[in-house]
Structure formats: C-alpha cells, structure tokens
Amino acid sequence: MPINNQQVTAHSFLRGLYEDDYYPDHVVDRGRAILLRLCENIEAHPPVGLTALYALTQAATEEFNDLEAEFEAADSEIESMARDEIAEDFWFIARAYGFTEADVEELIATREW
C-alpha cells in the first residue's frame, strides 16, 4: 500500500544511522521498513485517539526490539544515538498524522534498547 501522507513520503527515516558507518545499512533498512509499515498501518486503520496510536507504535517498537540482535550480529547496537534517532522518527510519525500531543516515551514504551 503506498503511503499518502506527503510529510512522510518526503521524510528521510533514520538518516543519522545511514550517515554513520557504525550502523550497517542492511540492518538500518529493516528499521526503516518497520517505520514505513507503521505509517501504512496508520493510514489503513487510522487510530482513534492516543491509546490506539500507542498500540500501533508500541507494536512497531517491539519489532525494533527484535532487530537489536541483527545490529549485534553486525558488530553494532542500538545505543544512545540510535535510540534518539529512532525515537525522533516515531515522534515525527505521530505529529505527521495529527497526534501532536503524543508523548514520545509512551510511543516507544515497549522498547528494550
């Protein structure tokens, strides 16, 4: 399903990770795919209220939890810079879909990184 939100289609997800050689592109690509799938899910099934949005973002966060092992296998990890970059993109997505009052920590409350 193509994404219709123009803010999202113009956004460079995880740009800081792509710019840093410490993070392997093939693993970052999987993280980017998680974020794009989240956007597709929001567009396909628009959440009604923050609780519904948090359910979607926390499920995507759990996918990032699973991705941690792939970072480690590639001699990398989701450390402070990556955590900030990922969290910022979750917050960007919330705002892009009109959830300006979303709490970034609640968006990624299920994180293990």
mmCIF file with all atom_site columns, all heavy atoms in Angstrom, residues 2-28:
data_model
loop_
_atom_site.group_PDB
_atom_site.id
_atom_site.type_symbol
_atom_site.label_atom_id
_atom_site.label_alt_id
_atom_site.label_comp_id
_atom_site.label_asym_id
_atom_site.label_entity_id
_atom_site.label_seq_id
_atom_site.pdbx_PDB_ins_code
_atom_site.Cartn_x
_atom_site.Cartn_y
_atom_site.Cartn_z
_atom_site.occupancy
_atom_site.B_iso_or_equiv
_atom_site.pdbx_formal_charge
_atom_site.auth_seq_id
_atom_site.auth_comp_id
_atom_site.auth_asym_id
_atom_site.auth_atom_id
_atom_site.pdbx_PDB_model_num
ATOM 1   N N   . PRO A 1 2  ? 0.710  2.116  -0.965 1.00 0.00 ? 2  PRO A N   1
ATOM 2   C CA  . PRO A 1 2  ? 1.520  3.338  -0.974 1.00 0.00 ? 2  PRO A CA  1
ATOM 3   C C   . PRO A 1 2  ? 1.099  4.292  0.143  1.00 0.00 ? 2  PRO A C   1
ATOM 4   O O   . PRO A 1 2  ? -0.076 4.371  0.514  1.00 0.00 ? 2  PRO A O   1
ATOM 5   C CB  . PRO A 1 2  ? 1.234  3.941  -2.354 1.00 0.00 ? 2  PRO A CB  1
ATOM 6   C CG  . PRO A 1 2  ? -0.059 3.347  -2.790 1.00 0.00 ? 2  PRO A CG  1
ATOM 7   C CD  . PRO A 1 2  ? -0.188 2.012  -2.105 1.00 0.00 ? 2  PRO A CD  1
ATOM 8   N N   . ILE A 1 3  ? 2.075  5.003  0.659  1.00 0.00 ? 3  ILE A N   1
ATOM 9   C CA  . ILE A 1 3  ? 1.813  5.981  1.716  1.00 0.00 ? 3  ILE A CA  1
ATOM 10  C C   . ILE A 1 3  ? 1.368  7.285  1.067  1.00 0.00 ? 3  ILE A C   1
ATOM 11  O O   . ILE A 1 3  ? 1.997  7.760  0.112  1.00 0.00 ? 3  ILE A O   1
ATOM 12  C CB  . ILE A 1 3  ? 3.075  6.175  2.581  1.00 0.00 ? 3  ILE A CB  1
ATOM 13  C CG1 . ILE A 1 3  ? 3.381  4.869  3.313  1.00 0.00 ? 3  ILE A CG1 1
ATOM 14  C CG2 . ILE A 1 3  ? 2.903  7.331  3.551  1.00 0.00 ? 3  ILE A CG2 1
ATOM 15  C CD1 . ILE A 1 3  ? 4.700  4.860  4.043  1.00 0.00 ? 3  ILE A CD1 1
ATOM 16  N N   . ASN A 1 4  ? 0.296  7.865  1.585  1.00 0.00 ? 4  ASN A N   1
ATOM 17  C CA  . ASN A 1 4  ? -0.270 9.080  1.003  1.00 0.00 ? 4  ASN A CA  1
ATOM 18  C C   . ASN A 1 4  ? 0.153  10.351 1.709  1.00 0.00 ? 4  ASN A C   1
ATOM 19  O O   . ASN A 1 4  ? 0.053  11.431 1.131  1.00 0.00 ? 4  ASN A O   1
ATOM 20  C CB  . ASN A 1 4  ? -1.801 8.993  1.003  1.00 0.00 ? 4  ASN A CB  1
ATOM 21  C CG  . ASN A 1 4  ? -2.301 7.877  0.105  1.00 0.00 ? 4  ASN A CG  1
ATOM 22  O OD1 . ASN A 1 4  ? -1.855 7.743  -1.031 1.00 0.00 ? 4  ASN A OD1 1
ATOM 23  N ND2 . ASN A 1 4  ? -3.207 7.065  0.602  1.00 0.00 ? 4  ASN A ND2 1
ATOM 24  N N   . ASN A 1 5  ? 0.596  10.257 2.947  1.00 0.00 ? 5  ASN A N   1
ATOM 25  C CA  . ASN A 1 5  ? 0.971  11.443 3.709  1.00 0.00 ? 5  ASN A CA  1
ATOM 26  C C   . ASN A 1 5  ? 2.249  12.045 3.115  1.00 0.00 ? 5  ASN A C   1
ATOM 27  O O   . ASN A 1 5  ? 3.309  11.414 3.133  1.00 0.00 ? 5  ASN A O   1
ATOM 28  C CB  . ASN A 1 5  ? 1.169  11.064 5.177  1.00 0.00 ? 5  ASN A CB  1
ATOM 29  C CG  . ASN A 1 5  ? 1.454  12.243 6.061  1.00 0.00 ? 5  ASN A CG  1
ATOM 30  O OD1 . ASN A 1 5  ? 2.401  12.989 5.834  1.00 0.00 ? 5  ASN A OD1 1
ATOM 31  N ND2 . ASN A 1 5  ? 0.651  12.407 7.101  1.00 0.00 ? 5  ASN A ND2 1
ATOM 32  N N   . GLN A 1 6  ? 2.136  13.264 2.604  1.00 0.00 ? 6  GLN A N   1
ATOM 33  C CA  . GLN A 1 6  ? 3.273  13.891 1.922  1.00 0.00 ? 6  GLN A CA  1
ATOM 34  C C   . GLN A 1 6  ? 4.434  14.192 2.862  1.00 0.00 ? 6  GLN A C   1
ATOM 35  O O   . GLN A 1 6  ? 5.592  14.149 2.443  1.00 0.00 ? 6  GLN A O   1
ATOM 36  C CB  . GLN A 1 6  ? 2.815  15.153 1.201  1.00 0.00 ? 6  GLN A CB  1
ATOM 37  C CG  . GLN A 1 6  ? 1.911  14.844 0.031  1.00 0.00 ? 6  GLN A CG  1
ATOM 38  C CD  . GLN A 1 6  ? 1.451  16.098 -0.695 1.00 0.00 ? 6  GLN A CD  1
ATOM 39  O OE1 . GLN A 1 6  ? 1.879  17.201 -0.412 1.00 0.00 ? 6  GLN A OE1 1
ATOM 40  N NE2 . GLN A 1 6  ? 0.561  15.913 -1.650 1.00 0.00 ? 6  GLN A NE2 1
ATOM 41  N N   . GLN A 1 7  ? 4.147  14.501 4.125  1.00 0.00 ? 7  GLN A N   1
ATOM 42  C CA  . GLN A 1 7  ? 5.231  14.714 5.082  1.00 0.00 ? 7  GLN A CA  1
ATOM 43  C C   . GLN A 1 7  ? 6.056  13.438 5.236  1.00 0.00 ? 7  GLN A C   1
ATOM 44  O O   . GLN A 1 7  ? 7.286  13.488 5.299  1.00 0.00 ? 7  GLN A O   1
ATOM 45  C CB  . GLN A 1 7  ? 4.676  15.116 6.449  1.00 0.00 ? 7  GLN A CB  1
ATOM 46  C CG  . GLN A 1 7  ? 4.057  16.482 6.517  1.00 0.00 ? 7  GLN A CG  1
ATOM 47  C CD  . GLN A 1 7  ? 3.496  16.707 7.904  1.00 0.00 ? 7  GLN A CD  1
ATOM 48  O OE1 . GLN A 1 7  ? 4.241  16.732 8.879  1.00 0.00 ? 7  GLN A OE1 1
ATOM 49  N NE2 . GLN A 1 7  ? 2.179  16.833 7.992  1.00 0.00 ? 7  GLN A NE2 1
ATOM 50  N N   . VAL A 1 8  ? 5.366  12.331 5.295  1.00 0.00 ? 8  VAL A N   1
ATOM 51  C CA  . VAL A 1 8  ? 6.034  11.037 5.483  1.00 0.00 ? 8  VAL A CA  1
ATOM 52  C C   . VAL A 1 8  ? 6.831  10.655 4.244  1.00 0.00 ? 8  VAL A C   1
ATOM 53  O O   . VAL A 1 8  ? 7.985  10.227 4.348  1.00 0.00 ? 8  VAL A O   1
ATOM 54  C CB  . VAL A 1 8  ? 5.006  9.946  5.850  1.00 0.00 ? 8  VAL A CB  1
ATOM 55  C CG1 . VAL A 1 8  ? 5.627  8.569  5.816  1.00 0.00 ? 8  VAL A CG1 1
ATOM 56  C CG2 . VAL A 1 8  ? 4.402  10.237 7.224  1.00 0.00 ? 8  VAL A CG2 1
ATOM 57  N N   . THR A 1 9  ? 6.241  10.819 3.068  1.00 0.00 ? 9  THR A N   1
ATOM 58  C CA  . THR A 1 9  ? 6.948  10.420 1.844  1.00 0.00 ? 9  THR A CA  1
ATOM 59  C C   . THR A 1 9  ? 8.187  11.282 1.606  1.00 0.00 ? 9  THR A C   1
ATOM 60  O O   . THR A 1 9  ? 9.148  10.821 0.984  1.00 0.00 ? 9  THR A O   1
ATOM 61  C CB  . THR A 1 9  ? 6.028  10.463 0.609  1.00 0.00 ? 9  THR A CB  1
ATOM 62  O OG1 . THR A 1 9  ? 5.497  11.782 0.452  1.00 0.00 ? 9  THR A OG1 1
ATOM 63  C CG2 . THR A 1 9  ? 4.901  9.454  0.734  1.00 0.00 ? 9  THR A CG2 1
ATOM 64  N N   . ALA A 1 10 ? 8.197  12.493 2.118  1.00 0.00 ? 10 ALA A N   1
ATOM 65  C CA  . ALA A 1 10 ? 9.354  13.384 1.940  1.00 0.00 ? 10 ALA A CA  1
ATOM 66  C C   . ALA A 1 10 ? 10.407 13.206 3.029  1.00 0.00 ? 10 ALA A C   1
ATOM 67  O O   . ALA A 1 10 ? 11.514 13.730 2.914  1.00 0.00 ? 10 ALA A O   1
ATOM 68  C CB  . ALA A 1 10 ? 8.875  14.840 1.924  1.00 0.00 ? 10 ALA A CB  1
ATOM 69  N N   . HIS A 1 11 ? 10.093 12.455 4.073  1.00 0.00 ? 11 HIS A N   1
ATOM 70  C CA  . HIS A 1 11 ? 10.982 12.325 5.236  1.00 0.00 ? 11 HIS A CA  1
ATOM 71  C C   . HIS A 1 11 ? 12.046 11.252 5.012  1.00 0.00 ? 11 HIS A C   1
ATOM 72  O O   . HIS A 1 11 ? 11.764 10.182 4.477  1.00 0.00 ? 11 HIS A O   1
ATOM 73  C CB  . HIS A 1 11 ? 10.151 11.979 6.475  1.00 0.00 ? 11 HIS A CB  1
ATOM 74  C CG  . HIS A 1 11 ? 10.924 11.962 7.745  1.00 0.00 ? 11 HIS A CG  1
ATOM 75  N ND1 . HIS A 1 11 ? 11.392 13.095 8.343  1.00 0.00 ? 11 HIS A ND1 1
ATOM 76  C CD2 . HIS A 1 11 ? 11.319 10.936 8.529  1.00 0.00 ? 11 HIS A CD2 1
ATOM 77  C CE1 . HIS A 1 11 ? 12.037 12.780 9.456  1.00 0.00 ? 11 HIS A CE1 1
ATOM 78  N NE2 . HIS A 1 11 ? 12.007 11.463 9.581  1.00 0.00 ? 11 HIS A NE2 1
ATOM 79  N N   . SER A 1 12 ? 13.250 11.541 5.431  1.00 0.00 ? 12 SER A N   1
ATOM 80  C CA  . SER A 1 12 ? 14.347 10.563 5.373  1.00 0.00 ? 12 SER A CA  1
ATOM 81  C C   . SER A 1 12 ? 14.451 9.863  6.720  1.00 0.00 ? 12 SER A C   1
ATOM 82  O O   . SER A 1 12 ? 15.104 10.355 7.633  1.00 0.00 ? 12 SER A O   1
ATOM 83  C CB  . SER A 1 12 ? 15.672 11.264 5.052  1.00 0.00 ? 12 SER A CB  1
ATOM 84  O OG  . SER A 1 12 ? 15.624 11.853 3.794  1.00 0.00 ? 12 SER A OG  1
ATOM 85  N N   . PHE A 1 13 ? 13.801 8.726  6.839  1.00 0.00 ? 13 PHE A N   1
ATOM 86  C CA  . PHE A 1 13 ? 13.807 7.987  8.090  1.00 0.00 ? 13 PHE A CA  1
ATOM 87  C C   . PHE A 1 13 ? 15.203 7.463  8.412  1.00 0.00 ? 13 PHE A C   1
ATOM 88  O O   . PHE A 1 13 ? 15.921 6.987  7.533  1.00 0.00 ? 13 PHE A O   1
ATOM 89  C CB  . PHE A 1 13 ? 12.819 6.817  8.041  1.00 0.00 ? 13 PHE A CB  1
ATOM 90  C CG  . PHE A 1 13 ? 11.387 7.258  8.122  1.00 0.00 ? 13 PHE A CG  1
ATOM 91  C CD1 . PHE A 1 13 ? 10.596 7.272  6.994  1.00 0.00 ? 13 PHE A CD1 1
ATOM 92  C CD2 . PHE A 1 13 ? 10.847 7.672  9.326  1.00 0.00 ? 13 PHE A CD2 1
ATOM 93  C CE1 . PHE A 1 13 ? 9.269  7.679  7.068  1.00 0.00 ? 13 PHE A CE1 1
ATOM 94  C CE2 . PHE A 1 13 ? 9.531  8.081  9.417  1.00 0.00 ? 13 PHE A CE2 1
ATOM 95  C CZ  . PHE A 1 13 ? 8.740  8.087  8.279  1.00 0.00 ? 13 PHE A CZ  1
ATOM 96  N N   . LEU A 1 14 ? 15.564 7.568  9.669  1.00 0.00 ? 14 LEU A N   1
ATOM 97  C CA  . LEU A 1 14 ? 16.828 7.053  10.205 1.00 0.00 ? 14 LEU A CA  1
ATOM 98  C C   . LEU A 1 14 ? 18.046 7.612  9.474  1.00 0.00 ? 14 LEU A C   1
ATOM 99  O O   . LEU A 1 14 ? 19.082 6.962  9.383  1.00 0.00 ? 14 LEU A O   1
ATOM 100 C CB  . LEU A 1 14 ? 16.832 5.513  10.199 1.00 0.00 ? 14 LEU A CB  1
ATOM 101 C CG  . LEU A 1 14 ? 15.655 4.846  10.911 1.00 0.00 ? 14 LEU A CG  1
ATOM 102 C CD1 . LEU A 1 14 ? 15.720 3.337  10.755 1.00 0.00 ? 14 LEU A CD1 1
ATOM 103 C CD2 . LEU A 1 14 ? 15.600 5.245  12.379 1.00 0.00 ? 14 LEU A CD2 1
ATOM 104 N N   . ARG A 1 15 ? 17.941 8.826  9.016  1.00 0.00 ? 15 ARG A N   1
ATOM 105 C CA  . ARG A 1 15 ? 19.014 9.456  8.244  1.00 0.00 ? 15 ARG A CA  1
ATOM 106 C C   . ARG A 1 15 ? 20.348 9.431  8.981  1.00 0.00 ? 15 ARG A C   1
ATOM 107 O O   . ARG A 1 15 ? 21.386 9.114  8.408  1.00 0.00 ? 15 ARG A O   1
ATOM 108 C CB  . ARG A 1 15 ? 18.645 10.888 7.879  1.00 0.00 ? 15 ARG A CB  1
ATOM 109 C CG  . ARG A 1 15 ? 19.734 11.572 7.073  1.00 0.00 ? 15 ARG A CG  1
ATOM 110 C CD  . ARG A 1 15 ? 19.392 12.967 6.649  1.00 0.00 ? 15 ARG A CD  1
ATOM 111 N NE  . ARG A 1 15 ? 18.669 13.686 7.674  1.00 0.00 ? 15 ARG A NE  1
ATOM 112 C CZ  . ARG A 1 15 ? 17.905 14.726 7.440  1.00 0.00 ? 15 ARG A CZ  1
ATOM 113 N NH1 . ARG A 1 15 ? 17.757 15.177 6.219  1.00 0.00 ? 15 ARG A NH1 1
ATOM 114 N NH2 . ARG A 1 15 ? 17.287 15.336 8.421  1.00 0.00 ? 15 ARG A NH2 1
ATOM 115 N N   . GLY A 1 16 ? 20.333 9.749  10.279 1.00 0.00 ? 16 GLY A N   1
ATOM 116 C CA  . GLY A 1 16 ? 21.574 9.757  11.046 1.00 0.00 ? 16 GLY A CA  1
ATOM 117 C C   . GLY A 1 16 ? 22.250 8.402  11.109 1.00 0.00 ? 16 GLY A C   1
ATOM 118 O O   . GLY A 1 16 ? 23.481 8.309  11.134 1.00 0.00 ? 16 GLY A O   1
ATOM 119 N N   . LEU A 1 17 ? 21.455 7.344  11.108 1.00 0.00 ? 17 LEU A N   1
ATOM 120 C CA  . LEU A 1 17 ? 22.030 5.994  11.128 1.00 0.00 ? 17 LEU A CA  1
ATOM 121 C C   . LEU A 1 17 ? 22.653 5.644  9.789  1.00 0.00 ? 17 LEU A C   1
ATOM 122 O O   . LEU A 1 17 ? 23.714 5.019  9.732  1.00 0.00 ? 17 LEU A O   1
ATOM 123 C CB  . LEU A 1 17 ? 20.970 4.963  11.510 1.00 0.00 ? 17 LEU A CB  1
ATOM 124 C CG  . LEU A 1 17 ? 20.279 5.148  12.859 1.00 0.00 ? 17 LEU A CG  1
ATOM 125 C CD1 . LEU A 1 17 ? 19.357 3.981  13.147 1.00 0.00 ? 17 LEU A CD1 1
ATOM 126 C CD2 . LEU A 1 17 ? 21.266 5.337  13.980 1.00 0.00 ? 17 LEU A CD2 1
ATOM 127 N N   . TYR A 1 18 ? 22.008 6.069  8.718  1.00 0.00 ? 18 TYR A N   1
ATOM 128 C CA  . TYR A 1 18 ? 22.580 5.829  7.394  1.00 0.00 ? 18 TYR A CA  1
ATOM 129 C C   . TYR A 1 18 ? 23.886 6.603  7.201  1.00 0.00 ? 18 TYR A C   1
ATOM 130 O O   . TYR A 1 18 ? 24.782 6.145  6.498  1.00 0.00 ? 18 TYR A O   1
ATOM 131 C CB  . TYR A 1 18 ? 21.601 6.225  6.288  1.00 0.00 ? 18 TYR A CB  1
ATOM 132 C CG  . TYR A 1 18 ? 20.508 5.214  6.046  1.00 0.00 ? 18 TYR A CG  1
ATOM 133 C CD1 . TYR A 1 18 ? 19.185 5.505  6.340  1.00 0.00 ? 18 TYR A CD1 1
ATOM 134 C CD2 . TYR A 1 18 ? 20.797 3.968  5.496  1.00 0.00 ? 18 TYR A CD2 1
ATOM 135 C CE1 . TYR A 1 18 ? 18.177 4.587  6.104  1.00 0.00 ? 18 TYR A CE1 1
ATOM 136 C CE2 . TYR A 1 18 ? 19.801 3.040  5.253  1.00 0.00 ? 18 TYR A CE2 1
ATOM 137 C CZ  . TYR A 1 18 ? 18.485 3.353  5.562  1.00 0.00 ? 18 TYR A CZ  1
ATOM 138 O OH  . TYR A 1 18 ? 17.494 2.430  5.330  1.00 0.00 ? 18 TYR A OH  1
ATOM 139 N N   . GLU A 1 19 ? 23.992 7.759  7.834  1.00 0.00 ? 19 GLU A N   1
ATOM 140 C CA  . GLU A 1 19 ? 25.187 8.596  7.676  1.00 0.00 ? 19 GLU A CA  1
ATOM 141 C C   . GLU A 1 19 ? 26.364 8.126  8.518  1.00 0.00 ? 19 GLU A C   1
ATOM 142 O O   . GLU A 1 19 ? 27.484 8.588  8.320  1.00 0.00 ? 19 GLU A O   1
ATOM 143 C CB  . GLU A 1 19 ? 24.845 10.051 8.021  1.00 0.00 ? 19 GLU A CB  1
ATOM 144 C CG  . GLU A 1 19 ? 23.884 10.684 7.030  1.00 0.00 ? 19 GLU A CG  1
ATOM 145 C CD  . GLU A 1 19 ? 23.393 12.050 7.456  1.00 0.00 ? 19 GLU A CD  1
ATOM 146 O OE1 . GLU A 1 19 ? 23.666 12.483 8.607  1.00 0.00 ? 19 GLU A OE1 1
ATOM 147 O OE2 . GLU A 1 19 ? 22.712 12.696 6.646  1.00 0.00 ? 19 GLU A OE2 1
ATOM 148 N N   . ASP A 1 20 ? 26.133 7.205  9.441  1.00 0.00 ? 20 ASP A N   1
ATOM 149 C CA  . ASP A 1 20 ? 27.183 6.735  10.344 1.00 0.00 ? 20 ASP A CA  1
ATOM 150 C C   . ASP A 1 20 ? 27.542 5.296  9.979  1.00 0.00 ? 20 ASP A C   1
ATOM 151 O O   . ASP A 1 20 ? 26.698 4.395  10.024 1.00 0.00 ? 20 ASP A O   1
ATOM 152 C CB  . ASP A 1 20 ? 26.672 6.813  11.784 1.00 0.00 ? 20 ASP A CB  1
ATOM 153 C CG  . ASP A 1 20 ? 27.735 6.556  12.822 1.00 0.00 ? 20 ASP A CG  1
ATOM 154 O OD1 . ASP A 1 20 ? 28.675 5.775  12.550 1.00 0.00 ? 20 ASP A OD1 1
ATOM 155 O OD2 . ASP A 1 20 ? 27.620 7.120  13.925 1.00 0.00 ? 20 ASP A OD2 1
ATOM 156 N N   . ASP A 1 21 ? 28.793 5.062  9.629  1.00 0.00 ? 21 ASP A N   1
ATOM 157 C CA  . ASP A 1 21 ? 29.237 3.730  9.211  1.00 0.00 ? 21 ASP A CA  1
ATOM 158 C C   . ASP A 1 21 ? 29.112 2.662  10.300 1.00 0.00 ? 21 ASP A C   1
ATOM 159 O O   . ASP A 1 21 ? 29.187 1.472  10.010 1.00 0.00 ? 21 ASP A O   1
ATOM 160 C CB  . ASP A 1 21 ? 30.695 3.777  8.735  1.00 0.00 ? 21 ASP A CB  1
ATOM 161 C CG  . ASP A 1 21 ? 30.843 4.526  7.425  1.00 0.00 ? 21 ASP A CG  1
ATOM 162 O OD1 . ASP A 1 21 ? 29.847 4.625  6.685  1.00 0.00 ? 21 ASP A OD1 1
ATOM 163 O OD2 . ASP A 1 21 ? 31.956 5.011  7.150  1.00 0.00 ? 21 ASP A OD2 1
ATOM 164 N N   . TYR A 1 22 ? 28.927 3.073  11.551 1.00 0.00 ? 22 TYR A N   1
ATOM 165 C CA  . TYR A 1 22 ? 28.775 2.118  12.645 1.00 0.00 ? 22 TYR A CA  1
ATOM 166 C C   . TYR A 1 22 ? 27.506 1.279  12.471 1.00 0.00 ? 22 TYR A C   1
ATOM 167 O O   . TYR A 1 22 ? 27.437 0.143  12.940 1.00 0.00 ? 22 TYR A O   1
ATOM 168 C CB  . TYR A 1 22 ? 28.747 2.871  13.980 1.00 0.00 ? 22 TYR A CB  1
ATOM 169 C CG  . TYR A 1 22 ? 28.559 1.989  15.185 1.00 0.00 ? 22 TYR A CG  1
ATOM 170 C CD1 . TYR A 1 22 ? 29.557 1.088  15.569 1.00 0.00 ? 22 TYR A CD1 1
ATOM 171 C CD2 . TYR A 1 22 ? 27.395 2.048  15.938 1.00 0.00 ? 22 TYR A CD2 1
ATOM 172 C CE1 . TYR A 1 22 ? 29.385 0.264  16.680 1.00 0.00 ? 22 TYR A CE1 1
ATOM 173 C CE2 . TYR A 1 22 ? 27.223 1.238  17.052 1.00 0.00 ? 22 TYR A CE2 1
ATOM 174 C CZ  . TYR A 1 22 ? 28.213 0.349  17.418 1.00 0.00 ? 22 TYR A CZ  1
ATOM 175 O OH  . TYR A 1 22 ? 28.052 -0.456 18.517 1.00 0.00 ? 22 TYR A OH  1
ATOM 176 N N   . TYR A 1 23 ? 26.519 1.845  11.800 1.00 0.00 ? 23 TYR A N   1
ATOM 177 C CA  . TYR A 1 23 ? 25.244 1.162  11.620 1.00 0.00 ? 23 TYR A CA  1
ATOM 178 C C   . TYR A 1 23 ? 25.189 0.586  10.204 1.00 0.00 ? 23 TYR A C   1
ATOM 179 O O   . TYR A 1 23 ? 25.188 1.331  9.230  1.00 0.00 ? 23 TYR A O   1
ATOM 180 C CB  . TYR A 1 23 ? 24.081 2.130  11.847 1.00 0.00 ? 23 TYR A CB  1
ATOM 181 C CG  . TYR A 1 23 ? 24.169 2.791  13.190 1.00 0.00 ? 23 TYR A CG  1
ATOM 182 C CD1 . TYR A 1 23 ? 24.647 4.090  13.314 1.00 0.00 ? 23 TYR A CD1 1
ATOM 183 C CD2 . TYR A 1 23 ? 23.816 2.113  14.341 1.00 0.00 ? 23 TYR A CD2 1
ATOM 184 C CE1 . TYR A 1 23 ? 24.764 4.696  14.547 1.00 0.00 ? 23 TYR A CE1 1
ATOM 185 C CE2 . TYR A 1 23 ? 23.931 2.711  15.587 1.00 0.00 ? 23 TYR A CE2 1
ATOM 186 C CZ  . TYR A 1 23 ? 24.403 4.002  15.682 1.00 0.00 ? 23 TYR A CZ  1
ATOM 187 O OH  . TYR A 1 23 ? 24.521 4.593  16.898 1.00 0.00 ? 23 TYR A OH  1
ATOM 188 N N   . PRO A 1 24 ? 25.127 -0.736 10.076 1.00 0.00 ? 24 PRO A N   1
ATOM 189 C CA  . PRO A 1 24 ? 25.101 -1.347 8.744  1.00 0.00 ? 24 PRO A CA  1
ATOM 190 C C   . PRO A 1 24 ? 23.786 -1.042 8.012  1.00 0.00 ? 24 PRO A C   1
ATOM 191 O O   . PRO A 1 24 ? 22.699 -1.204 8.579  1.00 0.00 ? 24 PRO A O   1
ATOM 192 C CB  . PRO A 1 24 ? 25.251 -2.842 9.031  1.00 0.00 ? 24 PRO A CB  1
ATOM 193 C CG  . PRO A 1 24 ? 24.862 -3.010 10.457 1.00 0.00 ? 24 PRO A CG  1
ATOM 194 C CD  . PRO A 1 24 ? 25.121 -1.719 11.144 1.00 0.00 ? 24 PRO A CD  1
ATOM 195 N N   . ASP A 1 25 ? 23.941 -0.600 6.778  1.00 0.00 ? 25 ASP A N   1
ATOM 196 C CA  . ASP A 1 25 ? 22.763 -0.185 6.007  1.00 0.00 ? 25 ASP A CA  1
ATOM 197 C C   . ASP A 1 25 ? 21.709 -1.277 5.892  1.00 0.00 ? 25 ASP A C   1
ATOM 198 O O   . ASP A 1 25 ? 20.513 -0.987 5.959  1.00 0.00 ? 25 ASP A O   1
ATOM 199 C CB  . ASP A 1 25 ? 23.177 0.272  4.599  1.00 0.00 ? 25 ASP A CB  1
ATOM 200 C CG  . ASP A 1 25 ? 23.827 1.638  4.597  1.00 0.00 ? 25 ASP A CG  1
ATOM 201 O OD1 . ASP A 1 25 ? 23.831 2.328  5.636  1.00 0.00 ? 25 ASP A OD1 1
ATOM 202 O OD2 . ASP A 1 25 ? 24.336 2.032  3.522  1.00 0.00 ? 25 ASP A OD2 1
ATOM 203 N N   . HIS A 1 26 ? 22.133 -2.533 5.736  1.00 0.00 ? 26 HIS A N   1
ATOM 204 C CA  . HIS A 1 26 ? 21.134 -3.591 5.553  1.00 0.00 ? 26 HIS A CA  1
ATOM 205 C C   . HIS A 1 26 ? 20.268 -3.771 6.803  1.00 0.00 ? 26 HIS A C   1
ATOM 206 O O   . HIS A 1 26 ? 19.099 -4.146 6.692  1.00 0.00 ? 26 HIS A O   1
ATOM 207 C CB  . HIS A 1 26 ? 21.788 -4.914 5.130  1.00 0.00 ? 26 HIS A CB  1
ATOM 208 C CG  . HIS A 1 26 ? 22.552 -5.603 6.214  1.00 0.00 ? 26 HIS A CG  1
ATOM 209 N ND1 . HIS A 1 26 ? 23.832 -5.236 6.585  1.00 0.00 ? 26 HIS A ND1 1
ATOM 210 C CD2 . HIS A 1 26 ? 22.205 -6.642 7.013  1.00 0.00 ? 26 HIS A CD2 1
ATOM 211 C CE1 . HIS A 1 26 ? 24.246 -6.027 7.557  1.00 0.00 ? 26 HIS A CE1 1
ATOM 212 N NE2 . HIS A 1 26 ? 23.283 -6.892 7.841  1.00 0.00 ? 26 HIS A NE2 1
ATOM 213 N N   . VAL A 1 27 ? 20.801 -3.469 7.976  1.00 0.00 ? 27 VAL A N   1
ATOM 214 C CA  . VAL A 1 27 ? 20.002 -3.555 9.205  1.00 0.00 ? 27 VAL A CA  1
ATOM 215 C C   . VAL A 1 27 ? 19.170 -2.287 9.360  1.00 0.00 ? 27 VAL A C   1
ATOM 216 O O   . VAL A 1 27 ? 17.990 -2.348 9.728  1.00 0.00 ? 27 VAL A O   1
ATOM 217 C CB  . VAL A 1 27 ? 20.892 -3.799 10.439 1.00 0.00 ? 27 VAL A CB  1
ATOM 218 C CG1 . VAL A 1 27 ? 20.035 -3.936 11.692 1.00 0.00 ? 27 VAL A CG1 1
ATOM 219 C CG2 . VAL A 1 27 ? 21.747 -5.049 10.242 1.00 0.00 ? 27 VAL A CG2 1
ATOM 220 N N   . VAL A 1 28 ? 19.749 -1.145 9.049  1.00 0.00 ? 28 VAL A N   1
ATOM 221 C CA  . VAL A 1 28 ? 19.002 0.116  9.106  1.00 0.00 ? 28 VAL A CA  1
ATOM 222 C C   . VAL A 1 28 ? 17.835 0.069  8.130  1.00 0.00 ? 28 VAL A C   1
ATOM 223 O O   . VAL A 1 28 ? 16.741 0.565  8.433  1.00 0.00 ? 28 VAL A O   1
ATOM 224 C CB  . VAL A 1 28 ? 19.924 1.321  8.842  1.00 0.00 ? 28 VAL A CB  1
ATOM 225 C CG1 . VAL A 1 28 ? 19.127 2.627  8.849  1.00 0.00 ? 28 VAL A CG1 1
ATOM 226 C CG2 . VAL A 1 28 ? 21.048 1.386  9.874  1.00 0.00 ? 28 VAL A CG2 1
#
